[in-house]
Amino acid sequence: MPDEPQISLLGLGPGDEPRVSDERPRRVTSKRIGVGDIVEVDRKGRRFHAIVEALEQQESGRFELTVRPLDRRVTYRSASVREVVGVWRRVR
């Protein structure tokens, strides 16, 4: 069995490399958060999931997120990058 070639599940031949598109917008925050991503936020001990609607960099250099919580009972509409504990990126 060691003489058999490895079968590729991606359909790439030997010497072929997967192509990575550079057309995606660059993510500028420390956690690589972008508009449209779903984030888990821990704000004052309360955790909730939200969709990122906008990113703004403050004069201090920190990023502030404008978010839309998935649960209507949550009233927070903004969060800092430091409060983000999980990120699920939107596939473009």
Side-chain angles (χ1 to χ4, degrees):
M1 287 201 194
D3 295 332
E4 294 179 17
Q6 181 176 354
I7 298 172
S8 174
L9 298 177
L10 299 176
L12 300 175
D16 291 341
E17 295 184 20
R19 296 180 184 171
V20 178
S21 174
D22 293 333
E23 297 175 8
R24 295 182 184 165
R26 298 282 303 172
R27 294 172 182 260
V28 292
T29 64
S30 62
K31 293 187 179 183
R32 305 288 189 226
I33 300 169
V35 175
D37 293 349
I38 295 177
V39 292
E40 182 180 3
V41 179
D42 184 352
R43 181 124 189 219
K44 298 181 181 179
R46 295 182 176 100
R47 286 194 178 201
F48 62 95
H49 292 87
I51 298 175
V52 178
E53 292 186 333
L55 284 156
E56 293 184 21
Q57 189 170 14
Q58 299 176 342
E59 292 177 7
S60 64
R62 294 184 180 176
F63 283 89
E64 188 74 20
L65 308 173
T66 302
V67 297
R68 183 179 42 155
L70 298 178
D71 187 352
R72 294 184 304 171
R73 297 174 293 181
V74 177
T75 59
Y76 298 118
R77 299 291 184 248
S78 65
S80 68
V81 173
R82 289 183 174 190
E83 295 171 329
V84 174
V85 294
V87 179
W88 290 267
R89 290 181 178 83
R90 178 179 177 194
V91 178
R92 309 219 184 249

